[in-house]
Amino acid sequence: MFYSKTHGVMFHHFHGKDHPATQGSISSEQFKTIIEELIKRYRILNADEYLYKHKKNLLNSEEICLTFDDGLLCQNDIAIPVLKKLSISAFFFIYSAPFLGKPHSLEIYRHFRTTQYQDIDQFYDAFFKQCMSILKPEKLKNELKNFSSSSFLKTHKYYSYNDRKFRYFRENILTTNQFDEIMKALMNDMSFDEKKIIKHLWMSNKDLVNLSNSGHIIGLHSHTHPTNFSSLSCKKQNDEYKKNYEHIYNITNKKTEAMSHPCGRYTPETLSILKKMGICLGFRSNTDLITHSPLEIPRVSHSYLVK
């Protein structure tokens, strides 16, 4: 999918070296090919130029940028060498809790479900079977009807039906404790040791400093990456971004002006909080809005481009 307005291209997971292939991950060669295809249609701006032209309202439809979410080590190990060879700088939007010694279950669970089963649908079968064991049949039946009739994440066309169903259960049906209970049970069944993989999931503070010193821009992505950020109170939203901002500033000694919305979730109040913090560039996780504010710049997932 090639988009006709200025936008960001969104990347998450990469495989190669010490990083196994997971759902949606790409290799360094695939990454390079995507960039080569983008260059045929657009002008890829370095992060600092994109930010400058955005602030001056000078961007045109052929100018885009590259963005990376979540501060993942695979990005540093696989994508950065390619960017260095091509002399391209990008935006890296990080959530700060893992850098402060508090690994987030979101990424651990993702690694588990995409590496320990023959395919992702085998995991989904096991997951929904567990849901049936803890949810009352009538409640489950009603919730499934609600999901089927909803438009939940339908704008994220790179998600399969089961991808969306899983996220709907995680965010709208199960409590946090119930979701953790199910995932822990599945991990126990597979004798999965999460402690062994944590050190392979996220970058370090030193990596962030190196990225910043190399011309890349480190931006906000919340502190703990809530999967349903828009459900948080204004105070909690503010706390999430305040902690995130302070961590990035303390590590890079730079005041960031850019961010991306975790899971594409936000409210009008979120935008007000970000503006008060001096954030002037924000990215969505899709392209479904017809009009965009400076904090709602569309992004195309690399999954579209691979397909």
Side-chain angles (χ1 to χ4, degrees):
M1 174 182 176
F2 292 97
Y3 192 58
S4 61
K5 298 180 180 179
T6 182
H7 60 279
V9 180
M10 177 175 62
F11 296 91
H12 282 86
H13 296 87
F14 294 80
H15 59 256
K17 297 182 180 179
D18 297 326
H19 303 284
T22 59
Q23 184 187 26
S25 67
I26 58 175
S27 67
S28 60
E29 284 303 313
Q30 287 175 302
F31 181 47
K32 184 179 178 182
T33 298
I34 288 173
I35 293 176
E36 290 171 346
E37 290 300 313
L38 288 171
I39 290 174
K40 294 177 183 178
R41 295 166 171 80
Y42 305 105
R43 180 181 172 221
I44 299 177
L45 302 184
N46 285 328
D48 57 348
E49 184 179 4
Y50 192 92
L51 177 60
Y52 173 81
K53 297 189 77 169
H54 170 78
K55 291 163 67 175
K56 298 294 185 180
N57 198 28
L58 296 174
L59 289 167
N60 63 54
S61 60
E62 296 180 351
E63 294 175 324
I64 65 172
C65 62
L66 306 184
T67 73
F68 299 78
D69 283 1
D70 299 342
L72 304 174
L73 183 59
C74 61
Q75 298 168 0
N76 189 71
D77 294 348
I78 309 299
I80 288 298
V82 175
L83 294 178
K84 186 175 181 179
K85 287 183 180 179
L86 298 174
S87 298
I88 297 173
S89 66
F91 292 93
F92 286 81
F93 300 116
I94 65 107
Y95 61 104
S96 41
F99 294 88
L100 299 173
K102 299 177 182 178
H104 197 291
S105 58
L106 177 76
E107 195 62 35
I108 296 170
Y109 291 161
R110 183 191 183 281
H111 184 91
F112 165 72
R113 71 177 184 263
T114 60
T115 63
Q116 301 302 302
Y117 295 84
Q118 290 183 354
D119 59 57
I120 191 63
D121 286 319
Q122 187 182 67
F123 161 77
Y124 288 142
D125 288 343
F127 176 81
F128 294 127
K129 184 177 180 180
Q130 287 284 347
C131 289
M132 293 174 64
S133 70
I134 68 171
L135 295 174
K136 294 181 179 180
E138 191 61 30
K139 175 178 174 57
L140 183 62
K141 183 179 179 181
N142 290 335
E143 293 293 356
L144 283 173
K145 285 183 179 179
N146 291 336
F147 167 69
S148 297
S149 62
S150 74
S151 58
F152 182 74
L153 295 180
K154 284 188 176 179
T155 58
H156 294 63
K157 294 182 175 59
Y158 47 91
Y159 284 156
S160 69
Y161 174 85
N162 274 340
D163 289 337
R164 294 192 301 108
K165 182 179 174 183
F166 167 72
R167 285 162 174 78
Y168 186 84
F169 269 67
R170 182 183 68 187
E171 298 171 25
N172 296 294
I173 300 178
L174 300 169
T175 66
T176 300
N177 288 338
Q178 287 175 325
F179 179 69
D180 286 339
E181 177 186 334
I182 290 173
M183 293 304 299
K184 295 293 185 183
L186 293 175
M187 289 163 67
N188 185 60
D189 289 344
M190 302 292 281
S191 299
F192 180 76
D193 186 353
E194 61 184 86
K195 293 181 181 179
K196 287 185 178 180
I197 58 95
I198 286 176
K199 64 181 180 180
H200 298 293
L201 296 181
W202 290 280
M203 298 183 202
S204 66
N205 284 324
K206 183 179 179 180
D207 293 327
L208 295 186
V209 172
N210 289 337
L211 286 176
S212 180
N213 290 341
S214 298
H216 302 285
I217 290 179
I218 312 300
L220 305 181
H221 199 50
S222 79
H223 180 61
T224 63
H225 201 302
T227 55
N228 196 358
F229 194 90
S230 57
S231 69
L232 301 183
S233 67
C234 288
K235 183 182 183 306
K236 288 185 178 179
Q237 289 189 26
N238 186 71
D239 289 344
E240 281 283 333
Y241 281 122
K242 182 180 178 182
K243 290 178 181 179
N244 195 201
Y245 186 98
E246 289 175 348
H247 175 248
I248 293 174
Y249 179 74
N250 290 337
I251 293 300
T252 66
N253 200 32
K254 296 177 182 177
K255 296 180 178 180
T256 189
E257 298 178 279
M259 63 80 63
S260 70
H261 301 283
C263 297
R265 303 295 183 80
Y266 60 93
T267 64
E269 290 74 22
T270 312
L271 303 183
S272 296
I273 290 169
L274 293 167
K275 288 177 183 176
K276 290 178 182 178
M277 295 177 65
I279 306 301
C280 62
L281 172 61
F283 288 94
R284 294 171 54 82
S285 59
N286 54 48
T287 61
D288 63 322
L289 276 186
I290 297 176
T291 59
H292 310 96
S293 78
L295 296 179
E296 298 175 288
I297 302 302
R299 284 194 295 177
V300 173
S301 170
H302 80 268
S303 299
Y304 283 137
L305 305 181
V306 169
K307 291 179 181 179

